Amino acid sequence: MPKIVNHRERREEVVEAARRIILREGIEAATTRAIAREAGYSNGVLTHYFADKDDIMLSALRSSHRRIVERLRGKLAGLTGLAALRELLLDNLPLDDERAAESGLEIGFWSRSMTSPAMLEAQRAEAEELRYLVRSLLGAAAGGGEIATADDLDDVTERLLALVDGLSAHHLLYPDRLGAARLERMLDAELDRLRPNGGRAGPGSQAGGA
């Protein structure tokens, strides 16, 4: 009998092979030849499942985002307001090897997105989901009296996202200067500025919003 091929499974194998290469060696190393070799297939097999290399890269990016979302669901369970916001932002910082690899993958895709409309659209869609979540948690924290700021919360949202992106990039470039402990301390300092009278809650505070 002819072998039954699970097309979805084979496609996922190729995507995961691309993701492994990017995490291990960087986006430039993820050539179609390297991806095929990593997945254990010939170059020709890839053309049956993907339109081109960008299609593979886009699928790898979405796969990485799905993993992050699944991890966040567990971390945010039972948290609201400022506690949930802190956990969300910390998860987007490269505080361990896994998140450092994910940050490297994400940053590596930034430049590629500038020349790929499909990838740029995917990046913007994912970024908008994160921006919406940060803004919603800020609103909940404000409603619960956890934060008090005269700044527009949309502006605060952009500032927090820019801080996370900037700290992530600097950590990858200058790990000796910006270690994980310092990243966490700097994020906490920014969140503390939002608290009433600049009050400080200890790391890992579980205070929730309304």
Side-chain angles (χ1 to χ4, degrees), residues 13 15 36 40 45 57 83 108 153 161 166 168 170 172 185 202 204-205 207:
E13 287 175 355
V15 170
V45 169
M57 295 291 99
L153 290 185
L161 292 172
S168 297
H170 277 236
L172 295 179
R185 188 172 70 250
S205 170

Side-chain angles (χ1 to χ4, degrees), residues 104-142:
L105 181 148
E106 194 75 24
I107 291 171
F109 273 108
W110 288 352
S111 60
R112 194 172 187 87
S113 294
M114 295 298 99
T115 57
S116 170
M119 197 164 292
L120 181 59
E121 181 181 355
Q123 286 271 25
R124 286 176 172 171
E126 298 287 348
E128 179 56 29
E129 288 183 11
L130 178 59
R131 192 202 69 80
Y132 175 80
L133 185 53
V134 170
R135 178 61 179 81
S136 297
L137 291 174
L138 278 170

Side-chain angles (χ1 to χ4, degrees), residues 10 13-14 17 20 33-43 45-46:
R10 182 166 288 186
E13 287 175 355
V14 173
R20 287 196 302 271
R33 184 184 301 275
I35 294 169
R37 184 170 59 248
E38 179 82 14
Y41 298 125
S42 67
N43 274 22
V45 169
L46 270 60

Side-chain angles (χ1 to χ4, degrees), residues 15-140:
V15 170
E16 285 309 302
R19 182 176 180 275
R20 287 196 302 271
I21 292 172
I22 296 169
L23 292 177
R24 188 174 66 234
E25 305 173 46
I27 194 170
E28 296 304 322
T31 63
T32 53
R33 184 184 301 275
I35 294 169
R37 184 170 59 248
E38 179 82 14
Y41 298 125
S42 67
N43 274 22
V45 169
L46 270 60
T47 63
H48 290 292
Y49 300 98
F50 300 93
D52 51 28
K53 180 181 174 180
D54 269 3
D55 190 15
I56 301 174
M57 295 291 99
L58 183 56
S59 298
L61 179 64
R62 287 172 171 158
S63 174
S64 182
H65 286 162
R66 283 195 300 270
R67 287 170 180 264
I68 294 170
V69 168
E70 286 301 314
R71 185 176 68 228
L72 272 171
R73 283 193 180 125
K75 288 187 173 184
L76 297 183
L79 299 180
T80 56
L82 202 55
L85 177 62
R86 180 179 185 272
E87 197 62 52
L88 171 66
L89 296 175
L90 284 176
D91 193 76
N92 278 271
L93 286 174
L95 300 179
D96 53 34
D97 290 343
E98 179 182 13
R99 284 176 285 176
E102 289 170 350
S103 294
L105 181 148
E106 194 75 24
I107 291 171
F109 273 108
W110 288 352
S111 60
R112 194 172 187 87
S113 294
M114 295 298 99
T115 57
S116 170
M119 197 164 292
L120 181 59
E121 181 181 355
Q123 286 271 25
R124 286 176 172 171
E126 298 287 348
E128 179 56 29
E129 288 183 11
L130 178 59
R131 192 202 69 80
Y132 175 80
L133 185 53
V134 170
R135 178 61 179 81
S136 297
L137 291 174
L138 278 170

